[in-house]
Short mmCIF file of all heavy atoms in Angstrom, two decimals:
data_model
loop_
_atom_site.label_atom_id
_atom_site.label_comp_id
_atom_site.label_asym_id
_atom_site.label_seq_id
_atom_site.Cartn_x
_atom_site.Cartn_y
_atom_site.Cartn_z
N LYS H 17 40.55 31.35 -10.31
CA LYS H 17 39.42 30.54 -9.85
C LYS H 17 38.48 31.35 -8.95
O LYS H 17 38.91 32.19 -8.17
CB LYS H 17 39.91 29.29 -9.12
CG LYS H 17 40.66 29.57 -7.85
CD LYS H 17 41.14 28.30 -7.17
CE LYS H 17 41.92 28.71 -5.93
NZ LYS H 17 42.62 27.67 -5.30
N LEU H 18 37.21 31.07 -9.08
CA LEU H 18 36.18 31.71 -8.27
C LEU H 18 36.37 31.29 -6.81
O LEU H 18 36.64 30.13 -6.52
CB LEU H 18 34.80 31.28 -8.77
CG LEU H 18 33.59 32.00 -8.23
CD1 LEU H 18 33.63 33.48 -8.60
CD2 LEU H 18 32.32 31.37 -8.79
N VAL H 19 36.26 32.26 -5.90
CA VAL H 19 36.41 31.96 -4.47
C VAL H 19 35.09 32.22 -3.75
O VAL H 19 34.27 33.00 -4.22
CB VAL H 19 37.55 32.78 -3.83
CG1 VAL H 19 38.89 32.40 -4.42
CG2 VAL H 19 37.32 34.26 -3.96
N PRO H 20 34.87 31.56 -2.61
CA PRO H 20 33.60 31.71 -1.89
C PRO H 20 33.57 32.97 -1.02
O PRO H 20 33.45 32.91 0.20
CB PRO H 20 33.52 30.44 -1.04
CG PRO H 20 34.95 30.10 -0.77
CD PRO H 20 35.70 30.52 -2.02
N ALA H 21 33.73 34.12 -1.66
CA ALA H 21 33.68 35.40 -0.96
C ALA H 21 33.17 36.44 -1.96
O ALA H 21 33.26 36.24 -3.17
CB ALA H 21 35.06 35.79 -0.44
N SER H 22 32.66 37.54 -1.43
CA SER H 22 32.15 38.61 -2.27
C SER H 22 33.05 39.83 -2.17
O SER H 22 33.70 40.07 -1.15
CB SER H 22 30.75 39.02 -1.80
OG SER H 22 29.86 37.95 -1.91
N CYS H 23 33.06 40.62 -3.22
CA CYS H 23 33.83 41.85 -3.24
C CYS H 23 33.31 42.80 -2.16
O CYS H 23 32.11 43.08 -2.12
CB CYS H 23 33.72 42.51 -4.62
SG CYS H 23 34.53 44.11 -4.72
N PRO H 24 34.17 43.29 -1.29
CA PRO H 24 33.71 44.20 -0.23
C PRO H 24 33.17 45.52 -0.77
O PRO H 24 32.36 46.17 -0.12
CB PRO H 24 34.96 44.45 0.62
CG PRO H 24 35.99 43.51 0.16
CD PRO H 24 35.58 42.98 -1.17
N ASP H 25 33.60 45.92 -1.97
CA ASP H 25 33.16 47.19 -2.53
C ASP H 25 31.83 47.10 -3.27
O ASP H 25 30.99 47.99 -3.14
CB ASP H 25 34.22 47.77 -3.46
CG ASP H 25 35.42 48.30 -2.70
OD1 ASP H 25 35.22 48.94 -1.65
OD2 ASP H 25 36.55 48.06 -3.14
N CYS H 26 31.64 46.04 -4.05
CA CYS H 26 30.43 45.98 -4.87
C CYS H 26 29.56 44.76 -4.60
O CYS H 26 28.44 44.68 -5.10
CB CYS H 26 30.78 46.05 -6.35
SG CYS H 26 31.63 44.58 -6.99
N GLY H 27 30.06 43.80 -3.84
CA GLY H 27 29.28 42.61 -3.53
C GLY H 27 29.32 41.55 -4.62
O GLY H 27 28.68 40.51 -4.50
N GLY H 28 30.07 41.79 -5.66
CA GLY H 28 30.17 40.83 -6.76
C GLY H 28 31.07 39.66 -6.43
O GLY H 28 31.77 39.66 -5.41
N PRO H 29 31.08 38.65 -7.31
CA PRO H 29 31.94 37.49 -7.08
C PRO H 29 33.42 37.85 -7.21
O PRO H 29 33.77 38.81 -7.89
CB PRO H 29 31.52 36.51 -8.18
CG PRO H 29 30.90 37.36 -9.24
CD PRO H 29 30.32 38.55 -8.55
N LEU H 30 34.25 37.08 -6.53
CA LEU H 30 35.70 37.30 -6.55
C LEU H 30 36.42 36.10 -7.16
O LEU H 30 36.02 34.95 -6.94
CB LEU H 30 36.24 37.50 -5.13
CG LEU H 30 36.01 38.84 -4.46
CD1 LEU H 30 36.51 38.79 -3.02
CD2 LEU H 30 36.70 39.96 -5.21
N TRP H 31 37.49 36.41 -7.87
CA TRP H 31 38.36 35.38 -8.40
C TRP H 31 39.74 35.56 -7.81
O TRP H 31 40.20 36.70 -7.63
CB TRP H 31 38.45 35.49 -9.93
CG TRP H 31 37.26 34.96 -10.63
CD1 TRP H 31 37.10 33.70 -11.15
CD2 TRP H 31 36.03 35.64 -10.89
NE1 TRP H 31 35.85 33.58 -11.71
CE2 TRP H 31 35.17 34.75 -11.57
CE3 TRP H 31 35.55 36.92 -10.61
CZ2 TRP H 31 33.89 35.08 -11.97
CZ3 TRP H 31 34.28 37.27 -11.01
CH2 TRP H 31 33.46 36.35 -11.69
N GLU H 32 40.39 34.45 -7.49
CA GLU H 32 41.77 34.49 -7.02
C GLU H 32 42.67 34.37 -8.23
O GLU H 32 42.54 33.44 -9.03
CB GLU H 32 42.06 33.36 -6.03
CG GLU H 32 43.46 33.42 -5.46
CD GLU H 32 43.71 32.40 -4.37
OE1 GLU H 32 42.76 31.67 -3.99
OE2 GLU H 32 44.85 32.33 -3.90
N ILE H 33 43.56 35.32 -8.36
CA ILE H 33 44.47 35.34 -9.50
C ILE H 33 45.69 34.51 -9.14
O ILE H 33 46.31 34.71 -8.09
CB ILE H 33 44.87 36.79 -9.84
CG1 ILE H 33 43.62 37.59 -10.20
CG2 ILE H 33 45.89 36.81 -10.97
CD1 ILE H 33 43.85 39.07 -10.31
N ASP H 34 45.99 33.56 -10.00
CA ASP H 34 47.13 32.66 -9.78
C ASP H 34 48.44 33.39 -10.02
O ASP H 34 48.87 33.57 -11.15
CB ASP H 34 47.05 31.46 -10.73
CG ASP H 34 46.48 30.25 -10.05
OD1 ASP H 34 46.48 30.20 -8.82
OD2 ASP H 34 46.04 29.33 -10.78
N GLU H 35 49.05 33.84 -8.95
CA GLU H 35 50.35 34.48 -9.00
C GLU H 35 51.10 34.12 -7.74
O GLU H 35 50.54 33.54 -6.82
CB GLU H 35 50.20 36.00 -9.14
CG GLU H 35 49.60 36.43 -10.46
CD GLU H 35 49.50 37.94 -10.60
OE1 GLU H 35 49.70 38.65 -9.60
OE2 GLU H 35 49.20 38.39 -11.72
N GLU H 36 52.36 34.51 -7.67
CA GLU H 36 53.17 34.20 -6.50
C GLU H 36 52.55 34.80 -5.23
O GLU H 36 52.48 34.14 -4.20
CB GLU H 36 54.59 34.74 -6.70
CG GLU H 36 55.55 34.27 -5.63
CD GLU H 36 56.98 34.69 -5.92
OE1 GLU H 36 57.39 34.58 -7.09
OE2 GLU H 36 57.65 35.12 -4.97
N VAL H 37 52.11 36.05 -5.31
CA VAL H 37 51.42 36.70 -4.20
C VAL H 37 49.93 36.64 -4.51
O VAL H 37 49.50 37.17 -5.54
CB VAL H 37 51.88 38.18 -4.05
CG1 VAL H 37 51.09 38.87 -2.96
CG2 VAL H 37 53.37 38.24 -3.77
N PRO H 38 49.14 35.99 -3.66
CA PRO H 38 47.70 35.88 -3.95
C PRO H 38 47.04 37.25 -4.09
O PRO H 38 47.25 38.14 -3.27
CB PRO H 38 47.13 35.14 -2.74
CG PRO H 38 48.31 34.50 -2.08
CD PRO H 38 49.49 35.36 -2.41
N ARG H 39 46.28 37.40 -5.16
CA ARG H 39 45.49 38.60 -5.38
C ARG H 39 44.08 38.18 -5.76
O ARG H 39 43.85 37.07 -6.25
CB ARG H 39 46.10 39.46 -6.50
CG ARG H 39 47.41 40.07 -6.14
CD ARG H 39 47.94 41.07 -7.17
NE ARG H 39 47.89 40.56 -8.53
CZ ARG H 39 47.27 41.17 -9.55
NH1 ARG H 39 46.65 42.31 -9.37
NH2 ARG H 39 47.29 40.65 -10.75
N PHE H 40 43.16 39.09 -5.54
CA PHE H 40 41.75 38.81 -5.81
C PHE H 40 41.18 39.96 -6.63
O PHE H 40 41.57 41.11 -6.44
CB PHE H 40 40.98 38.67 -4.49
CG PHE H 40 41.53 37.56 -3.63
CD1 PHE H 40 42.60 37.80 -2.78
CD2 PHE H 40 40.99 36.29 -3.69
CE1 PHE H 40 43.11 36.79 -1.99
CE2 PHE H 40 41.50 35.27 -2.91
CZ PHE H 40 42.57 35.52 -2.06
N ARG H 41 40.26 39.63 -7.52
CA ARG H 41 39.65 40.66 -8.36
C ARG H 41 38.20 40.28 -8.63
O ARG H 41 37.88 39.11 -8.80
CB ARG H 41 40.42 40.79 -9.66
CG ARG H 41 39.85 41.84 -10.59
CD ARG H 41 40.76 42.10 -11.73
NE ARG H 41 41.62 43.21 -11.34
CZ ARG H 41 42.70 43.58 -11.99
NH1 ARG H 41 43.07 42.92 -13.06
NH2 ARG H 41 43.40 44.60 -11.60
N CYS H 42 37.34 41.30 -8.66
CA CYS H 42 35.95 41.05 -9.02
C CYS H 42 35.74 41.37 -10.49
O CYS H 42 36.63 41.90 -11.16
CB CYS H 42 35.00 41.87 -8.14
SG CYS H 42 34.98 43.63 -8.52
N HIS H 43 34.55 41.09 -10.99
CA HIS H 43 34.30 41.29 -12.42
C HIS H 43 34.22 42.76 -12.82
O HIS H 43 34.31 43.08 -14.00
CB HIS H 43 33.02 40.55 -12.85
CG HIS H 43 31.77 41.15 -12.32
ND1 HIS H 43 31.36 40.96 -11.01
CD2 HIS H 43 30.85 41.95 -12.90
CE1 HIS H 43 30.22 41.61 -10.84
NE2 HIS H 43 29.89 42.22 -11.95
N THR H 44 34.08 43.68 -11.84
CA THR H 44 34.06 45.10 -12.19
C THR H 44 35.45 45.73 -12.14
O THR H 44 35.62 46.86 -12.57
CB THR H 44 33.12 45.90 -11.27
OG1 THR H 44 33.58 45.80 -9.92
CG2 THR H 44 31.69 45.40 -11.36
N GLY H 45 36.42 44.98 -11.61
CA GLY H 45 37.80 45.47 -11.60
C GLY H 45 38.38 45.80 -10.25
O GLY H 45 39.55 46.15 -10.15
N HIS H 46 37.58 45.72 -9.16
CA HIS H 46 38.16 45.93 -7.83
C HIS H 46 39.19 44.85 -7.58
O HIS H 46 38.93 43.67 -7.84
CB HIS H 46 37.08 45.88 -6.75
CG HIS H 46 36.04 46.94 -6.90
ND1 HIS H 46 34.72 46.65 -7.10
CD2 HIS H 46 36.14 48.30 -6.88
CE1 HIS H 46 34.04 47.79 -7.20
NE2 HIS H 46 34.88 48.80 -7.07
N ALA H 47 40.37 45.24 -7.08
CA ALA H 47 41.45 44.28 -6.87
C ALA H 47 42.01 44.41 -5.46
O ALA H 47 42.05 45.51 -4.90
CB ALA H 47 42.56 44.53 -7.90
N TYR H 48 42.43 43.28 -4.90
CA TYR H 48 42.90 43.23 -3.52
C TYR H 48 44.04 42.24 -3.37
O TYR H 48 44.06 41.20 -4.01
CB TYR H 48 41.78 42.74 -2.57
CG TYR H 48 40.49 43.47 -2.70
CD1 TYR H 48 39.52 43.03 -3.59
CD2 TYR H 48 40.24 44.61 -1.95
CE1 TYR H 48 38.32 43.71 -3.72
CE2 TYR H 48 39.05 45.29 -2.08
CZ TYR H 48 38.09 44.84 -2.97
OH TYR H 48 36.93 45.52 -3.10
N THR H 49 44.94 42.55 -2.45
CA THR H 49 45.84 41.53 -1.94
C THR H 49 45.03 40.75 -0.90
O THR H 49 43.94 41.19 -0.50
CB THR H 49 47.07 42.15 -1.26
OG1 THR H 49 46.62 42.91 -0.12
CG2 THR H 49 47.87 43.03 -2.21
N ALA H 50 45.54 39.64 -0.44
CA ALA H 50 44.82 38.86 0.57
C ALA H 50 44.60 39.70 1.83
O ALA H 50 43.51 39.69 2.41
CB ALA H 50 45.58 37.59 0.90
N ARG H 51 45.60 40.46 2.25
CA ARG H 51 45.48 41.29 3.45
C ARG H 51 44.42 42.37 3.28
O ARG H 51 43.59 42.60 4.15
CB ARG H 51 46.83 41.92 3.78
CG ARG H 51 46.80 42.73 5.06
CD ARG H 51 48.22 43.15 5.47
NE ARG H 51 48.20 43.80 6.75
CZ ARG H 51 48.27 45.11 6.92
NH1 ARG H 51 48.38 45.90 5.87
NH2 ARG H 51 48.26 45.63 8.12
N HIS H 52 44.44 43.04 2.13
CA HIS H 52 43.46 44.10 1.90
C HIS H 52 42.05 43.55 1.73
O HIS H 52 41.07 44.21 2.11
CB HIS H 52 43.87 44.95 0.69
CG HIS H 52 45.03 45.85 1.00
ND1 HIS H 52 46.30 45.59 0.57
CD2 HIS H 52 45.11 46.99 1.74
CE1 HIS H 52 47.11 46.53 1.01
NE2 HIS H 52 46.42 47.38 1.74
#
């Protein structure tokens, strides 16, 4: 699902990936844990 935050690297939209440990990814492929 789309989240109300932007990718810190490119400024693009972020999606939260539904997994046991929350992860986030933008449309260009930057990926983050919640902490990162």
Side-chain angles (χ1 to χ4, degrees):
K17 64 181 178 190
L18 190 63
V19 295
S22 299
C23 175
D25 287 318
C26 69
L30 284 174
W31 283 265
E32 183 174 356
I33 300 170
D34 261 341
E35 293 182 349
E36 189 174 317
V37 176
R39 292 187 312 125
F40 301 85
R41 180 170 268 168
C42 73
H43 70 282
T44 62
H46 298 119
Y48 308 91
T49 63
R51 183 171 186 258
H52 287 104

